[in-house]
């Protein structure tokens, strides 16, 4: 059972630069909404989903090392997404509508609305510019 809530970080340095040519980052915050502590670590599953039921894009994981963290009730941690931003209507661009975040060792996804513009679609790339980093 997932006792976490997810949200995009909204601090000035957490919002991706919509004019970034190429790479930028954003953070997703996970908050323990239960009344007991929970241990979390590793990589979340992140699937970008388009509207109209097209195929989703499961993000690759970075090569970063990871540990674990214990969250008390109401405590939060975060993880970053590296994003390869594209211009609107740019060739190869793709705009997700939602982001499904599945915390490590869980099977239920937390769904967020995608708040930004399109990405460079690289779902088959060996080293894509859009990928997920570990928690903490």
């Amino acid at each position: 059972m997932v006792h976490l809530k997810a949200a995009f970080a909204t601090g000035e340095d957490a919002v991706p630069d919509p004019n970034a040519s190429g790479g930028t980052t954003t953070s997703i915050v996970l908050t323990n909404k239960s009344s007991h502590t929970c241990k979390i670590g590793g990589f979340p599953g992140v699937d970008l989903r388009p509207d109209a039921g097209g195929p989703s894009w499961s993000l690759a994981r970075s090569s970063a090392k990871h540990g674990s963290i214990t969250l008390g009730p109401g405590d939060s941690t975060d993880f970053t997404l590296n994003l390869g931003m594209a211009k609107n209507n740019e060739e190869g661009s793709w705009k997700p509508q939602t982001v499904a975040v599945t915390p490590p060792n869980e099977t239920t996804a937390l769904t967020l609305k995608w708040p930004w513009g399109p990405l460079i679609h690289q779902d088959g790339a060996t080293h894509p510019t859009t990928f997920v980093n570990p928690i903490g």
Side-chain angles (χ1 to χ4, degrees):
M1 179 125 191
V2 177
H3 294 287
L4 296 167
K5 71 176 183 180
F8 280 104
T10 56
E12 206 169 287
D13 59 343
V15 176
D17 178 358
N19 299 313
S21 180
T24 187
T25 62
T26 190
S27 295
I28 294 178
V29 178
L30 298 173
T31 303
N32 179 0
K33 64 181 186 177
S34 76
S35 59
H36 55 274
T37 61
C38 70
K39 190 172 185 177
I40 189 170
F43 288 88
V46 178
D47 293 312
L48 304 180
R49 297 183 174 150
D51 59 0
S56 63
W57 176 8
S58 295
L59 296 188
R61 296 174 173 181
S62 73
S63 59
K65 300 286 183 232
H66 60 83
S68 63
I69 184 170
T70 300
L71 298 178
D75 287 349
S76 298
T77 188
D78 69 346
F79 64 93
T80 58
L81 298 178
N82 284 59
L83 304 173
M85 302 299 287
K87 304 278 187 245
N88 280 322
N89 301 317
E90 181 179 332
E91 185 176 337
S93 68
W94 186 80
K95 184 175 178 184
Q97 294 300 310
T98 59
V99 180
V101 176
T102 306
N105 303 314
E106 296 288 345
T107 57
T108 304
L110 308 167
T111 302
L112 303 173
K113 184 171 172 41
W114 180 257
W116 302 293
L119 298 168
I120 300 165
H121 196 217
Q122 298 178 311
D123 63 340
T126 304
H127 299 288
T129 54
T130 298
F131 57 88
V132 62
N133 291 293
I135 290 172

